[in-house]
Amino acid sequence: MAPVTLPTFFVAIAAFAALLYNPIKLRAEVFGFTRSQVSIQNIHGEDLKVIPNTVQCEDLHHHLPSGLLFAGCQGRPAERFSWFPASTKGNFRDPKAAADSQGGLFVIDPKTFASSRLTLEGFSGPFITHGIDIYSAPSSPDIVYVFAINHLPNPAYYDFPSPAPSTPKGRSQVEIFRHTIGTSTATHLRSVRDPLIRTPNDVYATSPTTFYITNDHFYREGALRDFENVAGQYLAAWSDIAHVSVDSLTNKDDPSAAVTASVAYSGINNPNGLGHGRNESDILIVRAAPGVFIQATIDPSDPAGKKLRLLKSTQLPCTLDNPSYYTDPYASSPGAADDASGYLLPGLTIAHTLGPNEANPRGIDPVSVWYIRGDGEEKRLLFQDDGLVIRSASAAVLVGIEPQVGGKKQAWLWVTGFYAEGMVATKVDL
């Protein structure tokens, strides 16, 4: 074997560096290392409003039959900074505070911009809110099933003086509620717990008894969780998306009873938010830290109808969170030139400071909301804030405005965040 000469060695090093240059450059851009908070130009649309009584609402959904917005909110700011297992590094600082947490479900009227908290009947436990979803059967549009992630402390860890090292600090589950439009209450039907619900981030409901959840990390905390955040799909595709079904909505005594769960998609890095797409079988997924938006579908070749098939990925220049799809109600026809239907993708303009800020109530986390029209014909930055009006962006929805004759097409953009003191609404051009 011929010896490796010094020039050959340097050529190899240069080739290796060139191979890594583009991925590292992209990751630096997505994490916001190429931006500074003072350099961010606010893109606020028209008539920007901060909505009272919407503290730290991580997720937001538009219920089309009623026109109302549903959100899962923490309500009391200090709670999110003392316990939030889904934070960048995994925040398990204060389990006692978590045990007293009283997050809730909120309904917002986009016509009056008024928010009201639903009274949760039959539910008295701690509520550490995160992703939610809503489901109404076409035959009963006034009945809304709300599925909500609840990040509880694990009694098996905190109630014993010397828990096993493998015992997780959190024991997350999904709460299912039933709400009737026009009332001020939501009835708690049951909790759902399963070993496949490990690090749940978001939920996608397909019926009153079936849903998907993302496990956003394989590791709950520590250096390997940090590695998942930065390594990406090729080095840390360790997580999954699970399909969950329950045989009964009346079993309140045992969250694990009558639960069947299976892996719907595995080998994915940092699956985070889920959203409904153009059709019933469409599932929108984001990989948060890499800034990747995925269009997926329920795999038609799966006899059980549970597996997912990934169809298309789109890279964005920032980290992402819960995606949503806007169906333009004022389009002359689907796909027409005046059809403004498209995808909304909220995220962090500067994400690399999120970890240090996760216990800081005074932190600043600038935000972006991207809009992809149609099948990608247009991709543009629809909203941006330097973090002083809204801190963090984890969900965004559009509510259409009926256009005047000869007038421009607009909608109200609603943006909320897991650290935000209030969601915002602003009028934007489409």
Side-chain angles (χ1 to χ4, degrees):
M1 178 178 179
V4 176
T5 63
L6 195 59
T8 303
F9 173 76
F10 281 121
V11 168
I13 291 296
F16 183 67
L19 184 65
L20 294 180
Y21 175 75
N22 285 335
I24 292 174
K25 179 183 177 183
L26 175 61
R27 188 52 57 91
E29 180 187 18
V30 169
F31 282 175
F33 284 106
T34 58
R35 311 178 188 103
S36 66
Q37 192 267 336
V38 295
S39 69
I40 292 172
Q41 295 184 347
N42 290 331
I43 303 172
H44 280 168
E46 304 173 23
D47 196 16
L48 178 68
K49 306 175 187 294
V50 179
I51 310 302
N53 193 32
T54 56
V55 177
Q56 296 174 347
C57 303
E58 199 276 343
D59 206 357
L60 180 68
H61 289 273
H62 189 196
H63 184 251
L64 293 177
S66 67
L68 299 173
L69 304 177
F70 285 76
C73 312
Q74 202 48 42
R76 295 185 294 194
E79 294 176 356
R80 187 73 86 198
F81 300 106
S82 60
W83 177 276
F84 192 38
S87 67
T88 301
K89 292 181 172 294
N91 183 346
F92 298 93
R93 287 179 175 82
D94 192 345
K96 292 183 179 180
D100 295 329
S101 292
Q102 295 297 322
L105 302 177
F106 289 70
V107 176
I108 302 98
D109 187 337
K111 295 180 179 179
T112 64
F113 302 95
S115 168
S116 59
R117 181 176 183 138
L118 295 177
T119 299
L120 303 182
E121 295 183 336
F123 183 83
S124 59
F127 199 5
I128 298 93
T129 59
H130 197 181
I132 71 164
D133 197 14
I134 56 176
Y135 176 84
S136 288
S139 59
S140 303
D142 59 329
I143 303 297
V144 184
Y145 291 88
V146 184
F147 298 73
I149 306 268
N150 189 4
H151 290 297
L152 299 172
N154 187 4
Y157 183 91
Y158 291 105
D159 292 355
F160 293 90
S162 299
S166 60
T167 304
K169 297 177 182 177
R171 191 179 68 179
S172 301
Q173 58 192 33
V174 176
E175 313 294 352
I176 304 178
F177 299 88
R178 186 179 187 270
H179 168 70
T180 302
I181 296 295
T183 70
S184 60
T185 63
T187 300
H188 184 242
L189 300 178
R190 68 164 295 167
S191 303
V192 182
R193 192 184 307 148
D194 188 86
L196 284 181
I197 303 176
R198 301 186 312 275
T199 55
N201 186 296
D202 203 8
V203 58
Y204 176 108
T206 53
S207 79
T209 57
T210 55
F211 57 91
Y212 291 89
I213 62 103
T214 50
N215 287 303
D216 58 24
H217 290 79
F218 183 82
Y219 291 94
R220 290 176 168 86
E221 58 183 329
L224 287 174
R225 183 181 177 94
D226 294 338
F227 184 76
E228 287 184 85
N229 290 331
V230 301
Q233 182 69 19
Y234 295 107
L235 297 176
W238 302 334
S239 203
D240 55 37
I241 300 170
H243 180 275
V244 183
S245 63
V246 295
D247 294 337
S248 170
L249 288 176
T250 60
N251 193 321
K252 296 195 65 172
D253 297 328
D254 183 0
S256 301
V259 177
T260 302
S262 60
V263 175
Y265 193 87
S266 61
I268 185 170
N269 168 255
N270 201 202
N272 188 288
L274 295 171
H276 294 264
R278 184 179 305 165
N279 304 308
E280 281 189 7
S281 61
D282 292 346
I283 298 181
L284 313 180
I285 307 167
V286 301
R287 293 175 49 227
V292 175
F293 166 52
I294 299 171
Q295 292 164 255
T297 187
I298 298 173
D299 191 341
S301 66
D302 177 29
K306 299 176 181 179
K307 298 285 187 180
L308 300 182
R309 177 185 294 178
L310 308 193
L311 302 176
K312 180 181 178 181
S313 294
T314 304
Q315 178 70 59
L316 277 294
C318 65
T319 61
L320 299 176
D321 216 310
N322 302 313
S324 68
Y325 184 77
Y326 169 66
T327 300
D328 184 358
Y330 304 109
S332 57
S333 62
D338 66 345
D339 187 359
S341 300
Y343 304 93
L344 280 178
L345 300 161
L348 299 176
T349 314
I350 301 177
H352 67 87
T353 58
L354 187 63
N357 281 346
E358 69 180 19
N360 181 8
R362 299 180 180 273
I364 298 174
D365 299 298
V367 309
S368 300
V369 178
W370 286 84
Y371 166 62
I372 300 178
R373 185 166 177 164
D375 290 319
E377 295 88 353
E378 178 187 358
K379 181 170 67 174
R380 66 182 169 101
L381 188 58
L382 193 62
F383 178 89
Q384 186 166 258
D385 182 70
D386 57 11
L388 298 180
V389 173
I390 180 170
R391 179 184 176 184
S392 75
S394 51
V397 300
L398 285 170
V399 179
I401 298 172
E402 185 173 5
Q404 301 297 316
V405 176
K408 57 186 177 182
K409 180 158 288 193
Q410 293 185 309
W412 281 100
L413 171 66
W414 293 76
V415 186
T416 190
F418 47 90
Y419 289 151
E421 292 184 3
M423 69 175 66
V424 300
T426 187
K427 196 180 297 183
V428 296
D429 295 340
L430 299 178

mmCIF file with all atom_site columns, all heavy atoms in Angstrom, residues 72-93:
data_model
loop_
_atom_site.group_PDB
_atom_site.id
_atom_site.type_symbol
_atom_site.label_atom_id
_atom_site.label_alt_id
_atom_site.label_comp_id
_atom_site.label_asym_id
_atom_site.label_entity_id
_atom_site.label_seq_id
_atom_site.pdbx_PDB_ins_code
_atom_site.Cartn_x
_atom_site.Cartn_y
_atom_site.Cartn_z
_atom_site.occupancy
_atom_site.B_iso_or_equiv
_atom_site.pdbx_formal_charge
_atom_site.auth_seq_id
_atom_site.auth_comp_id
_atom_site.auth_asym_id
_atom_site.auth_atom_id
_atom_site.pdbx_PDB_model_num
ATOM 1   N N   . GLY A 1 72 ? -55.253 25.197 23.310 1.00 0.00 ? 72 GLY A N   1
ATOM 2   C CA  . GLY A 1 72 ? -54.829 24.655 24.596 1.00 0.00 ? 72 GLY A CA  1
ATOM 3   C C   . GLY A 1 72 ? -53.810 25.613 25.190 1.00 0.00 ? 72 GLY A C   1
ATOM 4   O O   . GLY A 1 72 ? -52.754 25.850 24.595 1.00 0.00 ? 72 GLY A O   1
ATOM 5   N N   . CYS A 1 73 ? -54.110 26.185 26.346 1.00 0.00 ? 73 CYS A N   1
ATOM 6   C CA  . CYS A 1 73 ? -53.293 27.256 26.928 1.00 0.00 ? 73 CYS A CA  1
ATOM 7   C C   . CYS A 1 73 ? -52.907 26.914 28.364 1.00 0.00 ? 73 CYS A C   1
ATOM 8   O O   . CYS A 1 73 ? -53.670 26.270 29.088 1.00 0.00 ? 73 CYS A O   1
ATOM 9   C CB  . CYS A 1 73 ? -54.046 28.582 26.926 1.00 0.00 ? 73 CYS A CB  1
ATOM 10  S SG  . CYS A 1 73 ? -54.844 28.990 25.344 1.00 0.00 ? 73 CYS A SG  1
ATOM 11  N N   . GLN A 1 74 ? -51.738 27.403 28.770 1.00 0.00 ? 74 GLN A N   1
ATOM 12  C CA  . GLN A 1 74 ? -51.319 27.139 30.130 1.00 0.00 ? 74 GLN A CA  1
ATOM 13  C C   . GLN A 1 74 ? -51.969 28.094 31.121 1.00 0.00 ? 74 GLN A C   1
ATOM 14  O O   . GLN A 1 74 ? -52.249 27.735 32.246 1.00 0.00 ? 74 GLN A O   1
ATOM 15  C CB  . GLN A 1 74 ? -49.790 27.197 30.261 1.00 0.00 ? 74 GLN A CB  1
ATOM 16  C CG  . GLN A 1 74 ? -49.253 26.432 31.453 1.00 0.00 ? 74 GLN A CG  1
ATOM 17  C CD  . GLN A 1 74 ? -49.832 25.020 31.565 1.00 0.00 ? 74 GLN A CD  1
ATOM 18  O OE1 . GLN A 1 74 ? -49.965 24.308 30.582 1.00 0.00 ? 74 GLN A OE1 1
ATOM 19  N NE2 . GLN A 1 74 ? -50.205 24.614 32.772 1.00 0.00 ? 74 GLN A NE2 1
ATOM 20  N N   . GLY A 1 75 ? -52.186 29.337 30.708 1.00 0.00 ? 75 GLY A N   1
ATOM 21  C CA  . GLY A 1 75 ? -52.968 30.261 31.533 1.00 0.00 ? 75 GLY A CA  1
ATOM 22  C C   . GLY A 1 75 ? -52.166 31.050 32.533 1.00 0.00 ? 75 GLY A C   1
ATOM 23  O O   . GLY A 1 75 ? -52.344 32.255 32.674 1.00 0.00 ? 75 GLY A O   1
ATOM 24  N N   . ARG A 1 76 ? -51.265 30.391 33.274 1.00 0.00 ? 76 ARG A N   1
ATOM 25  C CA  . ARG A 1 76 ? -50.433 31.079 34.270 1.00 0.00 ? 76 ARG A CA  1
ATOM 26  C C   . ARG A 1 76 ? -48.980 30.991 33.813 1.00 0.00 ? 76 ARG A C   1
ATOM 27  O O   . ARG A 1 76 ? -48.405 29.898 33.737 1.00 0.00 ? 76 ARG A O   1
ATOM 28  C CB  . ARG A 1 76 ? -50.613 30.443 35.648 1.00 0.00 ? 76 ARG A CB  1
ATOM 29  C CG  . ARG A 1 76 ? -52.028 30.623 36.195 1.00 0.00 ? 76 ARG A CG  1
ATOM 30  C CD  . ARG A 1 76 ? -52.176 30.109 37.606 1.00 0.00 ? 76 ARG A CD  1
ATOM 31  N NE  . ARG A 1 76 ? -52.005 28.665 37.702 1.00 0.00 ? 76 ARG A NE  1
ATOM 32  C CZ  . ARG A 1 76 ? -52.345 27.943 38.782 1.00 0.00 ? 76 ARG A CZ  1
ATOM 33  N NH1 . ARG A 1 76 ? -52.874 28.544 39.834 1.00 0.00 ? 76 ARG A NH1 1
ATOM 34  N NH2 . ARG A 1 76 ? -52.151 26.644 38.790 1.00 0.00 ? 76 ARG A NH2 1
ATOM 35  N N   . PRO A 1 77 ? -48.347 32.139 33.507 1.00 0.00 ? 77 PRO A N   1
ATOM 36  C CA  . PRO A 1 77 ? -47.043 32.127 32.837 1.00 0.00 ? 77 PRO A CA  1
ATOM 37  C C   . PRO A 1 77 ? -45.954 31.342 33.553 1.00 0.00 ? 77 PRO A C   1
ATOM 38  O O   . PRO A 1 77 ? -45.143 30.673 32.910 1.00 0.00 ? 77 PRO A O   1
ATOM 39  C CB  . PRO A 1 77 ? -46.689 33.614 32.759 1.00 0.00 ? 77 PRO A CB  1
ATOM 40  C CG  . PRO A 1 77 ? -47.995 34.323 32.797 1.00 0.00 ? 77 PRO A CG  1
ATOM 41  C CD  . PRO A 1 77 ? -48.870 33.493 33.683 1.00 0.00 ? 77 PRO A CD  1
ATOM 42  N N   . ALA A 1 78 ? -45.909 31.412 34.880 1.00 0.00 ? 78 ALA A N   1
ATOM 43  C CA  . ALA A 1 78 ? -44.799 30.789 35.602 1.00 0.00 ? 78 ALA A CA  1
ATOM 44  C C   . ALA A 1 78 ? -44.751 29.279 35.421 1.00 0.00 ? 78 ALA A C   1
ATOM 45  O O   . ALA A 1 78 ? -43.680 28.671 35.497 1.00 0.00 ? 78 ALA A O   1
ATOM 46  C CB  . ALA A 1 78 ? -44.898 31.130 37.090 1.00 0.00 ? 78 ALA A CB  1
ATOM 47  N N   . GLU A 1 79 ? -45.908 28.661 35.176 1.00 0.00 ? 79 GLU A N   1
ATOM 48  C CA  . GLU A 1 79 ? -45.966 27.198 35.103 1.00 0.00 ? 79 GLU A CA  1
ATOM 49  C C   . GLU A 1 79 ? -45.121 26.641 33.960 1.00 0.00 ? 79 GLU A C   1
ATOM 50  O O   . GLU A 1 79 ? -44.461 25.615 34.109 1.00 0.00 ? 79 GLU A O   1
ATOM 51  C CB  . GLU A 1 79 ? -47.422 26.754 34.959 1.00 0.00 ? 79 GLU A CB  1
ATOM 52  C CG  . GLU A 1 79 ? -48.268 27.061 36.184 1.00 0.00 ? 79 GLU A CG  1
ATOM 53  C CD  . GLU A 1 79 ? -49.728 26.707 35.994 1.00 0.00 ? 79 GLU A CD  1
ATOM 54  O OE1 . GLU A 1 79 ? -50.102 26.296 34.875 1.00 0.00 ? 79 GLU A OE1 1
ATOM 55  O OE2 . GLU A 1 79 ? -50.494 26.857 36.963 1.00 0.00 ? 79 GLU A OE2 1
ATOM 56  N N   . ARG A 1 80 ? -45.139 27.303 32.804 1.00 0.00 ? 80 ARG A N   1
ATOM 57  C CA  . ARG A 1 80 ? -44.419 26.806 31.635 1.00 0.00 ? 80 ARG A CA  1
ATOM 58  C C   . ARG A 1 80 ? -42.909 26.811 31.876 1.00 0.00 ? 80 ARG A C   1
ATOM 59  O O   . ARG A 1 80 ? -42.188 25.971 31.333 1.00 0.00 ? 80 ARG A O   1
ATOM 60  C CB  . ARG A 1 80 ? -44.762 27.661 30.424 1.00 0.00 ? 80 ARG A CB  1
ATOM 61  C CG  . ARG A 1 80 ? -44.216 27.147 29.119 1.00 0.00 ? 80 ARG A CG  1
ATOM 62  C CD  . ARG A 1 80 ? -44.972 25.913 28.633 1.00 0.00 ? 80 ARG A CD  1
ATOM 63  N NE  . ARG A 1 80 ? -46.154 26.252 27.866 1.00 0.00 ? 80 ARG A NE  1
ATOM 64  C CZ  . ARG A 1 80 ? -47.146 25.409 27.636 1.00 0.00 ? 80 ARG A CZ  1
ATOM 65  N NH1 . ARG A 1 80 ? -47.097 24.185 28.122 1.00 0.00 ? 80 ARG A NH1 1
ATOM 66  N NH2 . ARG A 1 80 ? -48.202 25.763 26.923 1.00 0.00 ? 80 ARG A NH2 1
ATOM 67  N N   . PHE A 1 81 ? -42.430 27.757 32.689 1.00 0.00 ? 81 PHE A N   1
ATOM 68  C CA  . PHE A 1 81 ? -40.989 27.883 32.899 1.00 0.00 ? 81 PHE A CA  1
ATOM 69  C C   . PHE A 1 81 ? -40.464 26.989 34.017 1.00 0.00 ? 81 PHE A C   1
ATOM 70  O O   . PHE A 1 81 ? -39.265 26.845 34.188 1.00 0.00 ? 81 PHE A O   1
ATOM 71  C CB  . PHE A 1 81 ? -40.633 29.349 33.192 1.00 0.00 ? 81 PHE A CB  1
ATOM 72  C CG  . PHE A 1 81 ? -41.003 30.272 32.065 1.00 0.00 ? 81 PHE A CG  1
ATOM 73  C CD1 . PHE A 1 81 ? -42.083 31.125 32.171 1.00 0.00 ? 81 PHE A CD1 1
ATOM 74  C CD2 . PHE A 1 81 ? -40.296 30.250 30.874 1.00 0.00 ? 81 PHE A CD2 1
ATOM 75  C CE1 . PHE A 1 81 ? -42.444 31.956 31.133 1.00 0.00 ? 81 PHE A CE1 1
ATOM 76  C CE2 . PHE A 1 81 ? -40.640 31.076 29.819 1.00 0.00 ? 81 PHE A CE2 1
ATOM 77  C CZ  . PHE A 1 81 ? -41.722 31.933 29.944 1.00 0.00 ? 81 PHE A CZ  1
ATOM 78  N N   . SER A 1 82 ? -41.362 26.397 34.771 1.00 0.00 ? 82 SER A N   1
ATOM 79  C CA  . SER A 1 82 ? -40.930 25.506 35.858 1.00 0.00 ? 82 SER A CA  1
ATOM 80  C C   . SER A 1 82 ? -41.042 24.031 35.480 1.00 0.00 ? 82 SER A C   1
ATOM 81  O O   . SER A 1 82 ? -40.371 23.184 36.063 1.00 0.00 ? 82 SER A O   1
ATOM 82  C CB  . SER A 1 82 ? -41.748 25.778 37.123 1.00 0.00 ? 82 SER A CB  1
ATOM 83  O OG  . SER A 1 82 ? -43.128 25.555 36.888 1.00 0.00 ? 82 SER A OG  1
ATOM 84  N N   . TRP A 1 83 ? -41.889 23.717 34.502 1.00 0.00 ? 83 TRP A N   1
ATOM 85  C CA  . TRP A 1 83 ? -42.074 22.317 34.095 1.00 0.00 ? 83 TRP A CA  1
ATOM 86  C C   . TRP A 1 83 ? -42.638 22.279 32.676 1.00 0.00 ? 83 TRP A C   1
ATOM 87  O O   . TRP A 1 83 ? -43.757 22.725 32.426 1.00 0.00 ? 83 TRP A O   1
ATOM 88  C CB  . TRP A 1 83 ? -43.030 21.592 35.048 1.00 0.00 ? 83 TRP A CB  1
ATOM 89  C CG  . TRP A 1 83 ? -43.338 20.168 34.651 1.00 0.00 ? 83 TRP A CG  1
ATOM 90  C CD1 . TRP A 1 83 ? -44.276 19.737 33.754 1.00 0.00 ? 83 TRP A CD1 1
ATOM 91  C CD2 . TRP A 1 83 ? -42.695 18.977 35.132 1.00 0.00 ? 83 TRP A CD2 1
ATOM 92  N NE1 . TRP A 1 83 ? -44.270 18.367 33.653 1.00 0.00 ? 83 TRP A NE1 1
ATOM 93  C CE2 . TRP A 1 83 ? -43.304 17.870 34.488 1.00 0.00 ? 83 TRP A CE2 1
ATOM 94  C CE3 . TRP A 1 83 ? -41.672 18.751 36.053 1.00 0.00 ? 83 TRP A CE3 1
ATOM 95  C CZ2 . TRP A 1 83 ? -42.931 16.566 34.730 1.00 0.00 ? 83 TRP A CZ2 1
ATOM 96  C CZ3 . TRP A 1 83 ? -41.291 17.434 36.295 1.00 0.00 ? 83 TRP A CZ3 1
ATOM 97  C CH2 . TRP A 1 83 ? -41.911 16.355 35.649 1.00 0.00 ? 83 TRP A CH2 1
ATOM 98  N N   . PHE A 1 84 ? -41.858 21.781 31.734 1.00 0.00 ? 84 PHE A N   1
ATOM 99  C CA  . PHE A 1 84 ? -42.327 21.607 30.370 1.00 0.00 ? 84 PHE A CA  1
ATOM 100 C C   . PHE A 1 84 ? -41.440 20.563 29.702 1.00 0.00 ? 84 PHE A C   1
ATOM 101 O O   . PHE A 1 84 ? -40.429 20.879 29.076 1.00 0.00 ? 84 PHE A O   1
ATOM 102 C CB  . PHE A 1 84 ? -42.298 22.930 29.599 1.00 0.00 ? 84 PHE A CB  1
ATOM 103 C CG  . PHE A 1 84 ? -43.036 22.879 28.283 1.00 0.00 ? 84 PHE A CG  1
ATOM 104 C CD1 . PHE A 1 84 ? -44.219 22.175 28.133 1.00 0.00 ? 84 PHE A CD1 1
ATOM 105 C CD2 . PHE A 1 84 ? -42.544 23.565 27.175 1.00 0.00 ? 84 PHE A CD2 1
ATOM 106 C CE1 . PHE A 1 84 ? -44.897 22.134 26.933 1.00 0.00 ? 84 PHE A CE1 1
ATOM 107 C CE2 . PHE A 1 84 ? -43.206 23.528 25.960 1.00 0.00 ? 84 PHE A CE2 1
ATOM 108 C CZ  . PHE A 1 84 ? -44.396 22.819 25.844 1.00 0.00 ? 84 PHE A CZ  1
ATOM 109 N N   . PRO A 1 85 ? -41.773 19.279 29.860 1.00 0.00 ? 85 PRO A N   1
ATOM 110 C CA  . PRO A 1 85 ? -40.928 18.205 29.328 1.00 0.00 ? 85 PRO A CA  1
ATOM 111 C C   . PRO A 1 85 ? -40.651 18.308 27.836 1.00 0.00 ? 85 PRO A C   1
ATOM 112 O O   . PRO A 1 85 ? -39.661 17.745 27.352 1.00 0.00 ? 85 PRO A O   1
ATOM 113 C CB  . PRO A 1 85 ? -41.738 16.942 29.650 1.00 0.00 ? 85 PRO A CB  1
ATOM 114 C CG  . PRO A 1 85 ? -42.560 17.315 30.836 1.00 0.00 ? 85 PRO A CG  1
ATOM 115 C CD  . PRO A 1 85 ? -42.924 18.751 30.624 1.00 0.00 ? 85 PRO A CD  1
ATOM 116 N N   . ALA A 1 86 ? -41.504 19.020 27.093 1.00 0.00 ? 86 ALA A N   1
ATOM 117 C CA  . ALA A 1 86 ? -41.326 19.120 25.644 1.00 0.00 ? 86 ALA A CA  1
ATOM 118 C C   . ALA A 1 86 ? -40.410 20.262 25.225 1.00 0.00 ? 86 ALA A C   1
ATOM 119 O O   . ALA A 1 86 ? -40.225 20.482 24.029 1.00 0.00 ? 86 ALA A O   1
ATOM 120 C CB  . ALA A 1 86 ? -42.682 19.298 24.973 1.00 0.00 ? 86 ALA A CB  1
ATOM 121 N N   . SER A 1 87 ? -39.837 20.989 26.174 1.00 0.00 ? 87 SER A N   1
ATOM 122 C CA  . SER A 1 87 ? -38.940 22.082 25.813 1.00 0.00 ? 87 SER A CA  1
ATOM 123 C C   . SER A 1 87 ? -37.689 21.532 25.143 1.00 0.00 ? 87 SER A C   1
ATOM 124 O O   . SER A 1 87 ? -37.454 20.320 25.114 1.00 0.00 ? 87 SER A O   1
ATOM 125 C CB  . SER A 1 87 ? -38.562 22.903 27.046 1.00 0.00 ? 87 SER A CB  1
ATOM 126 O OG  . SER A 1 87 ? -37.773 22.129 27.923 1.00 0.00 ? 87 SER A OG  1
ATOM 127 N N   . THR A 1 88 ? -36.882 22.417 24.599 1.00 0.00 ? 88 THR A N   1
ATOM 128 C CA  . THR A 1 88 ? -35.712 22.009 23.824 1.00 0.00 ? 88 THR A CA  1
ATOM 129 C C   . THR A 1 88 ? -34.853 20.995 24.573 1.00 0.00 ? 88 THR A C   1
ATOM 130 O O   . THR A 1 88 ? -34.451 19.971 24.026 1.00 0.00 ? 88 THR A O   1
ATOM 131 C CB  . THR A 1 88 ? -34.867 23.240 23.472 1.00 0.00 ? 88 THR A CB  1
ATOM 132 O OG1 . THR A 1 88 ? -35.679 24.144 22.718 1.00 0.00 ? 88 THR A OG1 1
ATOM 133 C CG2 . THR A 1 88 ? -33.653 22.847 22.649 1.00 0.00 ? 88 THR A CG2 1
ATOM 134 N N   . LYS A 1 89 ? -34.567 21.270 25.831 1.00 0.00 ? 89 LYS A N   1
ATOM 135 C CA  . LYS A 1 89 ? -33.702 20.393 26.613 1.00 0.00 ? 89 LYS A CA  1
ATOM 136 C C   . LYS A 1 89 ? -34.472 19.447 27.521 1.00 0.00 ? 89 LYS A C   1
ATOM 137 O O   . LYS A 1 89 ? -33.880 18.553 28.125 1.00 0.00 ? 89 LYS A O   1
ATOM 138 C CB  . LYS A 1 89 ? -32.733 21.253 27.446 1.00 0.00 ? 89 LYS A CB  1
ATOM 139 C CG  . LYS A 1 89 ? -31.702 21.997 26.602 1.00 0.00 ? 89 LYS A CG  1
ATOM 140 C CD  . LYS A 1 89 ? -30.764 22.805 27.493 1.00 0.00 ? 89 LYS A CD  1
ATOM 141 C CE  . LYS A 1 89 ? -29.622 23.394 26.686 1.00 0.00 ? 89 LYS A CE  1
ATOM 142 N NZ  . LYS A 1 89 ? -28.724 22.359 26.140 1.00 0.00 ? 89 LYS A NZ  1
ATOM 143 N N   . GLY A 1 90 ? -35.788 19.635 27.627 1.00 0.00 ? 90 GLY A N   1
ATOM 144 C CA  . GLY A 1 90 ? -36.584 18.851 28.559 1.00 0.00 ? 90 GLY A CA  1
ATOM 145 C C   . GLY A 1 90 ? -36.566 19.509 29.920 1.00 0.00 ? 90 GLY A C   1
ATOM 146 O O   . GLY A 1 90 ? -35.579 19.403 30.652 1.00 0.00 ? 90 GLY A O   1
ATOM 147 N N   . ASN A 1 91 ? -37.617 20.230 30.270 1.00 0.00 ? 91 ASN A N   1
ATOM 148 C CA  . ASN A 1 91 ? -37.665 21.001 31.514 1.00 0.00 ? 91 ASN A CA  1
ATOM 149 C C   . ASN A 1 91 ? -38.442 20.215 32.575 1.00 0.00 ? 91 ASN A C   1
ATOM 150 O O   . ASN A 1 91 ? -39.662 20.125 32.519 1.00 0.00 ? 91 ASN A O   1
ATOM 151 C CB  . ASN A 1 91 ? -38.324 22.358 31.248 1.00 0.00 ? 91 ASN A CB  1
ATOM 152 C CG  . ASN A 1 91 ? -38.356 23.254 32.473 1.00 0.00 ? 91 ASN A CG  1
ATOM 153 O OD1 . ASN A 1 91 ? -38.130 22.808 33.595 1.00 0.00 ? 91 ASN A OD1 1
ATOM 154 N ND2 . ASN A 1 91 ? -38.645 24.529 32.267 1.00 0.00 ? 91 ASN A ND2 1
ATOM 155 N N   . PHE A 1 92 ? -37.698 19.655 33.538 1.00 0.00 ? 92 PHE A N   1
ATOM 156 C CA  . PHE A 1 92 ? -38.302 18.900 34.645 1.00 0.00 ? 92 PHE A CA  1
ATOM 157 C C   . PHE A 1 92 ? -37.958 19.560 35.979 1.00 0.00 ? 92 PHE A C   1
ATOM 158 O O   . PHE A 1 92 ? -37.796 18.885 36.995 1.00 0.00 ? 92 PHE A O   1
ATOM 159 C CB  . PHE A 1 92 ? -37.789 17.456 34.651 1.00 0.00 ? 92 PHE A CB  1
ATOM 160 C CG  . PHE A 1 92 ? -38.127 16.673 33.408 1.00 0.00 ? 92 PHE A CG  1
ATOM 161 C CD1 . PHE A 1 92 ? -37.235 16.618 32.346 1.00 0.00 ? 92 PHE A CD1 1
ATOM 162 C CD2 . PHE A 1 92 ? -39.328 16.009 33.287 1.00 0.00 ? 92 PHE A CD2 1
ATOM 163 C CE1 . PHE A 1 92 ? -37.526 15.891 31.196 1.00 0.00 ? 92 PHE A CE1 1
ATOM 164 C CE2 . PHE A 1 92 ? -39.636 15.282 32.148 1.00 0.00 ? 92 PHE A CE2 1
ATOM 165 C CZ  . PHE A 1 92 ? -38.727 15.218 31.092 1.00 0.00 ? 92 PHE A CZ  1
ATOM 166 N N   . ARG A 1 93 ? -37.839 20.887 35.997 1.00 0.00 ? 93 ARG A N   1
ATOM 167 C CA  . ARG A 1 93 ? -37.283 21.582 37.157 1.00 0.00 ? 93 ARG A CA  1
ATOM 168 C C   . ARG A 1 93 ? -38.118 21.455 38.423 1.00 0.00 ? 93 ARG A C   1
ATOM 169 O O   . ARG A 1 93 ? -37.599 21.293 39.510 1.00 0.00 ? 93 ARG A O   1
ATOM 170 C CB  . ARG A 1 93 ? -37.076 23.069 36.822 1.00 0.00 ? 93 ARG A CB  1
ATOM 171 C CG  . ARG A 1 93 ? -35.905 23.325 35.883 1.00 0.00 ? 93 ARG A CG  1
ATOM 172 C CD  . ARG A 1 93 ? -35.762 24.814 35.565 1.00 0.00 ? 93 ARG A CD  1
ATOM 173 N NE  . ARG A 1 93 ? -34.574 25.052 34.756 1.00 0.00 ? 93 ARG A NE  1
ATOM 174 C CZ  . ARG A 1 93 ? -34.529 24.893 33.447 1.00 0.00 ? 93 ARG A CZ  1
ATOM 175 N NH1 . ARG A 1 93 ? -35.630 24.520 32.800 1.00 0.00 ? 93 ARG A NH1 1
ATOM 176 N NH2 . ARG A 1 93 ? -33.414 25.113 32.775 1.00 0.00 ? 93 ARG A NH2 1
#
